[in-house]
Amino acid sequence: MAEHQAVWGIDIGQAGLKAIRLKYAEAANQALAVAFDYIPHAKILSQPDAVPKELIKQALETFLERNDVAGDLISISLPGHSALARFIQLPPVETSKVGDVVTYEARQQIPFALEDVIWDYQTLGGGIEESGFMLGAEVGLFAMKKEQVYEALRPFVEAKVEVETVQIAPLGLYNVLCYDQMGVRLNEDFIAPDEYSIMLDMGTDNTTLMVTNGEKIWIRNVPLGGNHFTRALTKEMKLTFAKAEHLKCNATKSPDPRAVFQALRPVFNDYVSEIQRSIGYFSSVNREAKITKVIGVGNGFKLAGLQKFLQQNLQYEVERIETFNGVIGDTVLNAPVFQENIMAFVVPYGLALQTLKLTKIHTTLLPPEIAFNRKIRRKKPWAVTACATLLLGLAGSTAGFASRFDSVSDHRWNEQTSAVETFKGDVTKKSTEYDGKLGEFKGLVEKGSVLVSYLDERELWGEMYQAVNECLPRPEGNEKDITDITQKRQITIRSLKTRRVKELGDWFKELPQQRKDSFTKEEAEKPPKGPGYIVTIDGEHFYKPANLEQGDIHFVAETLLKNLRKPYFRQRETIGEEVPVSVLGISHPVITRDPPMEVVRWYPKGPPRQKTSRTGPMLGPLPTGATGASQPRVDEWKAIERTRFTLEFAWVPTIPKNRKVPETPAVEAPVVPTGSPPGNPVSPGTNPSPVPGTPIPTAPGTPAPATPGAVTTP
């Protein structure tokens, strides 16, 4: 396929022809929708008086008149209910013999002779290759009878349009769900989640149910579609088929919507029962699978009330595809006709994505003899050109030698031959010297790569320590002059330790439930995962405001803990840019230990018989029965309460180029009025200002010393 060759995905269904033209936009690294067409049939193909061959031929002729497909690749769909799809688990087998084993399985799984069907297979994932053996591989096997494939190709053959890909419709749905909705790309590593999604393609007479998690696939056909609802109206309300179809599409605008929905209720119930039965069977053979949502496509899914009815009865989130996320092109995507019928373009969109080689599905049911003959025909011009060129050169060479044969002698060419040999020797020498210099250059490049490989990571630890330091509360304004440590909004870090773990999720699971309850809803729904560090902070504070609810462990929760959850944070008096917090990879902060407060003795002017510490007031244990009120001397003391705590959070070091900047603007630093009296409660919704200068350890696992000038443990 040419690098920028356009692709048409065409789906001819019971109601009409849907086609979309995609082209790969290299600059945007994305698929670009450049054209589309929607041609409804004059009659639904399954109507008794309809002639499907003539209607399909007319639709294709109309399409070719409107669109120039010369030079484009064409991919078409086959109905899923006419195809056979099997998913088998292969036993351990040599990699080179996977094809033979699949052929054997195909003979067992396909209820027809292989000579009478066209089939293909693909390894879907889950298997690993070890020592030349394929272990635990799951293979998808897809087949359809030859006459059905040739019948689908007949209109295109008669119109002299070459088809590049023939694919069953359910795999087109799979391509869209993976590429467009889940964001799976071929050049990116993809780890299949435990959650599965269901895509329901409601057609005219059938509904395709496809379940996948991006790796495994399960397909089932439900023999109920839009026509069943129309027939229910014709029977209950005594209408013609055309009037019933119009009433179904405009049920909410009818004079008596209640009567319409009452007539449709039995079909609604049958439809939900079939879907529930299919989901139940899937769950019985895939017990570990967890279904999270249902995505509806196909114009039949636009039936009023269907989405809500399914959601109420299936107990899953049910949504409809309203836009395509993996393709650009406003001219197509914003066209009114395309927007109105976007759910009908899902299958042709998936076919075009596969033909552009943007999805991992590569199977095709194009008859092998057609593909082989086409390959030979495409190579013929090159073979003829090569032979003609060779013959022409040979003829010219023969004529030249014949005309010069009598004038050629060895002594005439000795000098030139010697010069050529000398020149060849010089070329060989220079080439050898060049190869040597090139090897030296590559060696220097490799050494340089090793020297600079750690530049992206050298500042990660310092940034983490700086973020923790910035998140600590600290006095501001007149609070800095307060000498009473019970009125200062500050926290002392006694130690900061780190430990590396292979799986952060194990740490999250081991937390007690009462600690997990303190996480935000977003943190609880998205626990940390993968390798990283657990950072443990042991600290204490003596702050006791007038509003007791903002003291003890609540003071830690409303300041340090809350600040660690923000993408960016900066204190009012910090000079420079905001410090990234969660952007650095810090997440899920939680207080893991908060023992009861203890009463200690505080010497504002220093302990007795000892010089006052240069680092600040001193603490001592409180004697039994002492209150501190009977110490009117220089060494007077005061009984105060100390709150100790242990706080942990997960940290996944993230180099700057891999950081995800949040779309919403960073939260500004909390505003605390300068000069507010000690003990006044902080305004609701704000955080006390952190303490500057808290030292941070210089290496992982090293405990942090107590902050100079702050309180110390007895």
Side-chain angles (χ1 to χ4, degrees):
M1 186 182 74
E3 183 179 1
H4 301 293
Q5 194 167 6
V7 171
W8 278 100
I10 302 176
D11 175 34
I12 302 179
Q14 294 287 316
L17 181 148
K18 291 82 67 178
I20 186 171
R21 184 173 185 256
L22 299 185
K23 192 173 183 180
Y24 181 69
E26 185 176 8
N29 191 26
Q30 199 169 9
L32 172 66
V34 293
F36 79 98
D37 206 345
Y38 179 72
I39 305 172
H41 297 314
K43 297 180 180 179
I44 295 177
L45 300 185
S46 59
Q47 286 184 238
D49 58 341
V51 183
K53 291 183 179 179
E54 292 298 326
L55 292 174
I56 293 175
K57 181 179 179 181
Q58 293 173 8
L60 186 58
E61 289 176 352
T62 303
F63 170 75
L64 295 176
E65 290 174 0
R66 294 180 183 178
N67 305 277
D68 182 12
V69 299
D72 294 343
L73 299 180
I74 307 296
S75 56
I76 67 172
S77 68
L78 298 174
H81 64 271
S82 301
L84 181 141
R86 294 288 187 271
F87 304 94
I88 54 179
Q89 198 79 21
L90 293 183
V93 61
E94 293 183 28
T95 306
S96 59
K97 296 183 179 179
V98 170
D100 297 335
V101 174
V102 173
T103 302
Y104 173 79
E105 291 289 344
R107 296 185 185 277
Q108 312 303 315
Q109 298 288 338
I110 299 176
F112 306 102
L114 293 188
E115 295 76 15
D116 297 333
V117 299
I118 298 173
W119 65 283
D120 201 354
Y121 75 94
Q122 177 171 341
T123 303
L124 297 176
I128 58 174
E129 186 174 352
E130 184 174 339
S131 302
F133 282 82
M134 181 65 72
L135 307 176
E138 182 174 347
V139 171
L141 187 65
F142 313 103
M144 182 175 279
K145 298 191 71 173
K146 275 188 176 181
E147 55 265 28
Q148 292 178 316
V149 176
Y150 278 104
E151 186 64 27
L153 286 171
R154 187 185 307 278
F156 296 90
V157 174
E158 293 175 352
K160 297 182 180 181
V161 175
E162 288 191 354
V163 176
E164 181 73 15
T165 305
V166 179
Q167 187 58 274
I168 63 175
L171 291 185
L173 300 177
Y174 171 80
N175 289 334
V176 174
L177 183 59
C178 291
Y179 182 87
D180 192 87
Q181 300 296 307
M182 300 177 65
V184 180
R185 298 294 183 268
L186 287 179
N187 56 351
E188 298 178 1
D189 294 333
F190 173 72
I191 300 176
D194 296 332
E195 294 83 6
Y196 283 71
S197 298
I198 298 176
M199 183 168 276
L200 289 178
D201 182 11
M202 186 174 180
T204 304
D205 294 314
N206 296 272
T207 296
T208 299
L209 186 146
M210 192 272 300
V211 188
T212 184
N213 65 341
E215 184 176 88
K216 295 186 176 181
I217 312 175
W218 189 81
I219 299 172
R220 188 168 187 179
N221 181 67
V222 177
L224 284 173
N227 268 359
H228 293 78
F229 293 91
T230 305
R231 294 190 187 105
L233 291 177
T234 61
K235 180 180 179 181
E236 297 295 329
M237 305 187 74
K238 310 301 181 182
L239 300 173
T240 63
F241 189 90
K243 291 183 178 180
E245 180 71 18
H246 180 270
L247 182 61
K248 180 189 71 174
C249 298
N250 301 275
T252 57
K253 300 178 182 179
S254 67
D256 189 1
R258 182 181 182 85
V260 175
F261 287 111
Q262 194 66 29
L264 295 177
R265 178 168 291 277
V267 187
F268 273 114
N269 292 332
D270 292 343
Y271 190 78
V272 169
S273 297
E274 287 293 334
I275 300 301
Q276 288 175 331
R277 186 179 298 111
S278 299
I279 294 175
Y281 179 77
F282 169 78
S283 300
S284 66
V285 297
N286 299 271
R287 297 186 180 278
E288 298 180 358
K290 179 183 178 182
I291 298 175
T292 57
K293 64 179 177 180
V294 177
I295 302 174
V297 298
N299 273 347
F301 210 81
K302 294 193 296 185
L303 181 63
L306 178 61
Q307 180 179 359
K308 183 178 180 181
F309 191 79
L310 287 175
Q311 187 160 317
Q312 290 175 345
N313 288 273
L314 298 179
Q315 298 300 311
Y316 295 124
E317 177 186 355
V318 180
E319 59 186 44
R320 301 190 305 184
I321 288 186
E322 303 290 347
T323 184
F324 292 151
N325 303 315
V327 66
I328 58 177
D330 293 341
T331 304
V332 172
L333 300 180
N334 294 334
V337 176
F338 187 86
Q339 282 289 324
E340 183 181 355
N341 299 280
I342 187 170
M343 290 192 292
F345 283 91
V346 173
V347 171
Y349 176 35
L351 299 177
L353 289 175
Q354 175 182 339
T355 311
L356 279 177
K357 301 187 185 306
L358 297 178
T359 64
K360 64 180 181 180
I361 292 293
H362 55 72
T363 60
T364 179
L365 297 184
L366 183 70
E369 54 271 21
I370 294 179
F372 181 78
N373 292 336
R374 187 175 298 170
K375 184 182 295 186
I376 295 298
R377 189 182 73 247
R378 289 175 179 175
K379 292 183 179 295
K380 278 184 179 179
W382 297 101
V384 172
T385 302
C387 291
T389 302
L390 181 62
L391 289 175
L392 182 61
L394 182 61
S397 176
T398 302
F401 278 112
S403 64
R404 294 290 181 176
F405 181 75
D406 59 343
S407 63
V408 174
S409 60
D410 292 340
H411 71 276
R412 290 188 60 183
W413 303 104
N414 285 340
E415 182 178 354
Q416 287 76 7
T417 302
S418 177
V420 169
E421 294 297 329
T422 301
F423 178 74
K424 288 173 62 179
D426 292 341
V427 170
T428 302
K429 179 181 178 181
K430 297 296 184 183
S431 178
T432 303
E433 293 177 356
Y434 172 79
D435 292 339
K437 296 297 183 182
L438 182 61
E440 294 178 5
F441 170 74
K442 290 182 177 179
L444 292 174
V445 171
E446 291 179 0
K447 292 180 180 179
S449 299
V450 172
L451 292 175
V452 302
S453 61
Y454 299 101
L455 291 179
D456 288 338
E457 302 179 6
R458 64 182 179 179
E459 296 182 354
L460 295 181
W461 286 93
E463 288 181 327
M464 187 272 285
Y465 298 146
Q466 182 185 7
V468 174
N469 182 54
E470 192 70 13
C471 290
L472 287 169
R474 62 190 69 175
E476 292 185 352
N478 296 341
E479 293 181 4
K480 296 181 179 179
D481 299 330
I482 297 175
T483 58
D484 188 347
I485 63 174
T486 65
Q487 300 301 310
K488 279 195 172 185
R489 288 192 287 268
Q490 64 182 16
I491 292 176
T492 300
I493 292 182
R494 285 302 176 184
S495 69
L496 187 150
K497 300 178 181 178
T498 61
R499 70 178 188 275
R500 183 170 180 81
V501 295
K502 294 182 179 179
E503 179 51 55
L504 292 170
D506 295 340
W507 165 79
F508 184 85
K509 293 178 182 178
E510 293 172 0
L511 289 173
Q513 186 59 42
Q514 62 178 7
R515 300 302 179 186
K516 292 182 180 179
D517 293 340
S518 66
F519 286 120
T520 64
K521 181 180 179 182
E522 182 180 1
E523 291 173 335
E525 293 175 350
K526 296 181 179 180
K529 60 182 179 179
Y533 291 89
I534 301 300
V535 181
T536 303
I537 298 175
D538 289 319
E540 63 183 17
H541 77 84
F542 301 89
Y543 180 53
K544 187 175 183 182
N547 184 356
L548 296 180
E549 293 182 357
Q550 296 182 0
D552 53 68
I553 199 63
H554 296 89
F555 177 57
V556 180
E558 289 299 319
T559 56
L560 177 58
L561 185 67
K562 184 177 291 186
N563 294 340
L564 286 171
R565 288 191 170 113
K566 298 180 178 179
Y568 290 90
F569 190 75
R570 180 180 63 192
Q571 297 293 339
R572 287 169 56 103
E573 298 184 359
T574 300
I575 299 177
E577 298 180 353
E578 293 176 316
V579 174
V581 184
S582 64
V583 176
L584 293 175
I586 294 174
S587 67
H588 297 82
V590 60
I591 297 174
T592 58
R593 187 179 69 91
D594 54 328
M597 292 188 296
E598 58 181 337
V599 180
V600 296
R601 184 162 49 183
W602 173 48
Y603 295 88
K605 299 181 180 180
R609 297 181 299 279
Q610 181 177 328
K611 292 183 179 180
T612 302
S613 170
R614 294 177 58 189
T615 62
M618 300 297 293
L619 294 171
L622 184 68
T624 304
T627 64
S630 59
Q631 300 291 336
R633 305 173 312 180
V634 175
D635 56 352
E636 63 183 2
W637 53 273
K638 178 182 178 182
I640 62 174
E641 293 178 332
R642 171 168 56 191
T643 300
R644 289 187 173 181
F645 67 91
T646 299
L647 183 147
E648 294 184 355
F649 60 81
W651 178 45
V652 180
T654 307
I655 61 177
K657 65 181 181 181
N658 293 337
R659 293 173 185 169
K660 296 182 179 179
V661 179
E663 297 181 358
T664 55
V667 179
E668 295 292 335
V671 178
V672 178
T674 304
S676 58
N680 285 352
V682 181
S683 300
T686 62
N687 299 328
S689 302
V691 175
T694 303
I696 302 297
T698 58
T702 305
T707 306
V711 294
T712 57
T713 55

